Amino acid sequence: MQTRLVTATAWAATLVATLASLPAQAATPARPPNAEHGWVTSTLRHMSLEQKVGQLFATYVYGGDAVDPSATDRAANLAAFGVETPAEVIERYHPGGVCYFSWSHNLDSPRQIATLSNGLQRAALGDGAKGRVPLLISTDQEQGAVVRMPSPAAQFPGSMALGAGRSAQAARMAAEVTGRELRAVGIRQSYAPIADVNVNPGNPVIGVRSFGADPTLVADLTAAQVTGFQDRAGVTAAAKHFPGHGDTATDSHTGLPVINHSRAEWDRIDAPPFRRAIRAGVDTIMTAHIVIPALDPSGDPATLSPTILTGVLRGELGFRGVIVTDALNMAGVRAKYGDERVPVLALKAGADQLLMPPNLALARDAVLRAVATGELTEGRVDESVRRILGVKYRQGLARSPLVDVEKAVRTVGAPEHLAAVTRVTDPTLTAVRNDAGVLPLPHADRSVLITGWDSAAFAPVATVAAGFTARGAHATARPATLPSDATIAATASQAAEHDLTVVLVNKAWDTAVTDPRATQQRLVAALLGTGKPVVVVAVRDPYDIAYLPGVTTYLATYSYTRAAMDALVRALHGELSPSGRLPVTIPTAEGAGSVLYPYGHGLSW
């Protein structure tokens, strides 16, 4: 497949101007290499073995405040870690990092997140005694389908949308703005970008998290995001999931995927984005809990494979940065070995940082025992700790681990950031089918029903309805996420009384996990049965069209952010010409190599 990146258009020129307008960021302080070496060596010299082993772990903690979490979060910390507060978790286990999640109640507002980060850093540093080092705080801010930072943070449309836009500049901008906002609240590492090449339309876990199905496109945009995160925003990037999670039919959260690419196929499809990320200077690469027999016939997941991590990633690809495991509480890495063995085997394989073991005390003690028995040497531990400390030094954490809370409030969701979201999002919208010639719509006094899949965080149905109302239509919003039979019938009855229906679908193709009753497919069929015009919009995977027979008007937004829904409304009314091109091939429902819409397809008006 041939990939063409946007390089010289009026839109690209505007994007460059927007990038230039962003204030200069003192990202990673410039220091001679010997200064980093000196700090790392001095710090390591004063660390106890227990402190060194602690640096190998990145954990979650419960609560929005380091020292005063809610009663619920105190109980959760006590159950998981034996202490009540996030600060006490840090003091007891000396972890090298903490990963923020909404489910652990870490992410509420910019002020709260920045305050939590400062509290955790103070706990890590203690009274300033030697051997105490700052944390590398992280989160999965991939954008699109995987977003951790809530509003007012800038919400970009995600990787596959960027692939549809074909612009390395836009990918870089999305990473830069995202990174600036993360850094402002004390998060110095984003577990992004996704370097997986999504060549399997049935992939249950990657999908729109990937830039697309073309290795060259994915490599270009991966490298652009590494530059945006690290060089422009001063936030460590983590290319994931090595050696490539794009052709799996199993979710590694719930099982152990096996990818049967030959070595030649892996070199051609999966390796290029990681090679480009390494050339771009990526600080961190995250492992995948997948088996690729062509790389390692042992049956061990890559996370636990010396052949893959040390032999291929370090030896063949020349990566010298930090190898972080994907979460160790996932089924894919626990399928073959017990929780006590996994952290030791990951270190023996070549990993440096162990993310979220299901039992932190058990994992830490297992590594300490492995050193005591000689299965691991302290020198091997030091090797990983040196890499982790090096990243922290380059992030400026040795010099200034705390953040300015008031500056964080001003930075997150700044007007120039939100303007960048719109500029990046607009060119990603992809019009796939307009066979009935329904689009573009005139501004008219018509009745429109907006229905289908909805999200509490983004309210896409209400956002689209408001856009129609603002253009003179009588719009009714009727969310119908995985609707019951009664809801399908009532929605179709209501649609029959309107001039037009716009229905949003989200992974309607996935009747194995996401929508086991095929409710979205049945809703669309019922709406088509009214005989009234129906516009179907895929707000996640573009593959849904293959499972919706009879649909004549179909667009893909790849995400359901407010910016994506605003672009959709403008495109429907002819105010925005769709310019996105499919970054994947859409096969027919029968699969087996049959193509419904090819890579690069897209309509404009």
Side-chain angles (χ1 to χ4, degrees):
M1 288 175 281
Q2 296 299 312
T3 299
R4 182 178 62 84
L5 294 181
V6 175
T7 56
T9 65
W11 170 84
T14 302
L15 196 60
V16 172
T18 302
L19 278 166
S21 72
L22 294 175
Q25 176 84 22
T28 304
R31 292 285 187 275
N34 61 332
E36 175 185 327
H37 176 77
W39 182 81
V40 169
T41 300
S42 174
T43 301
L44 189 65
R45 185 185 306 124
H46 292 98
M47 295 174 75
S48 67
L49 176 61
E50 187 170 313
Q51 287 174 321
K52 293 176 184 177
V53 169
Q55 285 295 301
L56 304 178
F57 291 94
T59 186
Y60 57 91
V61 292
Y62 291 98
D65 188 273
V67 296
D68 189 24
S70 69
T72 299
D73 290 325
R74 285 179 179 271
N77 283 321
L78 191 62
F81 306 108
V83 293
E84 292 189 341
T85 70
E88 289 173 314
V89 174
I90 305 306
E91 291 160 0
R92 171 173 287 195
Y93 295 98
H94 312 292
V98 168
C99 189
Y100 287 170
F101 295 94
S102 56
W103 54 258
S104 53
H105 307 144
N106 306 138
L107 300 162
D108 180 25
S109 69
R111 184 179 301 278
Q112 171 269 317
I113 301 168
T115 302
L116 172 62
S117 297
N118 284 346
L120 293 177
Q121 294 291 13
R122 290 188 180 101
L125 294 169
D127 58 3
K130 291 182 177 179
R132 303 291 291 270
V133 296
L135 294 162
L136 184 62
I137 298 174
S138 61
T139 198
D140 294 280
Q141 191 72 357
E142 298 175 14
Q143 299 288 18
V146 178
V147 174
R148 307 302 188 207
M149 284 267 284
S151 179
Q155 306 291 352
F156 288 92
S159 296
M160 192 169 284
L162 294 172
R166 300 291 202 279
S167 170
Q169 292 169 326
R172 175 190 152 195
M173 175 185 273
E176 178 181 344
V177 171
T178 299
R180 287 172 181 267
E181 295 195 344
L182 292 176
R183 186 178 174 96
V185 297
I187 299 172
R188 302 292 185 96
Q189 181 178 48
S190 183
Y191 289 134
I194 297 284
D196 303 314
V197 182
N198 199 75
V199 293
N200 186 343
N203 195 320
V205 64
I206 302 301
V208 292
R209 298 169 65 195
S210 164
F211 292 113
D214 178 10
T216 301
L217 175 67
V218 177
D220 287 340
L221 301 190
T222 295
Q225 290 222 308
V226 169
T227 299
F229 277 122
Q230 294 190 176
D231 298 347
R232 290 289 298 173
V235 165
T236 291
K240 61 185 186 184
H241 308 80
F242 189 83
H245 213 313
D247 195 12
T248 56
T250 302
D251 185 344
S252 53
H253 291 85
T254 58
L256 179 57
V258 177
I259 297 180
N260 289 311
H261 285 183
S262 68
R263 176 58 198 249
E265 288 173 324
W266 181 82
D267 282 327
R268 178 174 57 85
I269 298 171
D270 303 290
F274 292 102
R275 292 185 188 277
R276 284 291 303 280
I278 292 168
R279 290 214 316 262
V282 70
D283 274 334
T284 310
I285 289 179
M286 178 180 283
T287 69
H289 306 324
I290 59 174
V291 172
I292 302 185
L295 297 184
D296 180 359
S298 71
D300 284 343
T303 297
L304 308 181
S305 168
T307 302
I308 293 176
L309 298 191
T310 300
V312 178
L313 182 53
R314 293 259 189 242
E316 295 183 29
L317 272 61
F319 181 58
R320 297 292 175 260
V322 170
I323 299 176
V324 60
T325 70
D326 205 344
L328 297 184
N329 58 9
M330 294 166 60
V333 78
R334 304 172 74 187
K336 191 172 179 181
Y337 301 99
D339 292 339
E340 194 170 8
R341 290 297 297 157
V342 165
V344 175
L345 293 175
L347 291 170
K348 292 177 71 174
D352 299 304
Q353 194 163 47
L354 310 169
L355 178 61
M356 293 170 54
N359 184 324
L360 181 57
L362 178 74
R364 177 202 59 183
D365 292 346
V367 174
L368 286 169
R369 267 195 308 277
V371 175
T373 62
E375 185 177 8
L376 288 170
T377 67
E378 188 166 356
R380 170 65 189 88
V381 172
D382 288 354
E383 180 184 326
S384 287
V385 175
R386 278 186 175 277
R387 293 192 185 102
I388 294 165
L389 292 178
V391 168
K392 293 182 178 185
Y393 183 87
R394 294 192 296 277
Q395 280 297 321
L397 287 166
R399 184 167 58 105
S400 53
L402 304 183
V403 297
D404 181 331
V405 175
E406 297 305 322
K407 183 179 179 182
V409 173
R410 294 192 302 271
T411 299
V412 177
E416 62 269 26
H417 292 177
L418 301 184
V421 169
T422 299
R423 289 196 178 100
V424 167
T425 302
D426 281 357
T428 67
L429 178 72
T430 306
V432 178
R433 178 178 285 179
N434 191 27
D435 293 358
V438 171
L439 303 177
L441 301 167
H443 290 224
D445 180 10
R446 68 171 71 207
S447 63
V448 182
L449 176 66
I450 315 299
T451 188
W453 189 89
D454 203 45
S455 156
F458 291 98
V461 169
T463 300
V464 174
F468 270 87
T469 298
R471 289 161 175 81
H474 298 277
T476 301
R478 183 187 178 104
T481 301
L482 305 183
S484 66
D485 291 346
T487 298
I488 291 172
T491 304
S493 177
Q494 193 171 7
E497 299 174 358
H498 287 73
D499 300 318
L500 173 73
T501 296
V502 177
V503 57
L504 311 183
V505 292
N506 183 324
K507 291 186 77 172
W509 67 267
D510 183 9
T511 55
V513 177
T514 303
D515 190 359
R517 295 189 302 113
T519 58
Q520 297 180 90
Q521 295 180 28
R522 292 193 288 118
L523 172 62
V524 171
L527 295 172
L528 292 172
T530 66
K532 296 295 184 71
V534 177
V535 176
V536 180
V537 182
V539 297
R540 185 161 170 159
D541 298 4
Y543 309 113
D544 289 347
I545 181 65
Y547 299 83
L548 304 173
V551 169
T552 57
T553 311
Y554 181 82
L555 300 94
T557 63
Y558 312 96
S559 71
Y560 39 84
T561 64
R562 282 184 166 80
M565 295 301 97
D566 177 67
L568 169 67
V569 172
R570 286 185 284 125
L572 293 179
H573 288 89
E575 301 162 18
L576 171 69
S577 179
S579 58
R581 298 293 179 264
L582 287 175
V584 294
T585 295
I586 299 179
T588 63
E590 292 75 22
S594 55
V595 175
L596 184 60
Y597 289 101
Y599 177 95
H601 172 80
L603 308 175
S604 295
W605 48 76

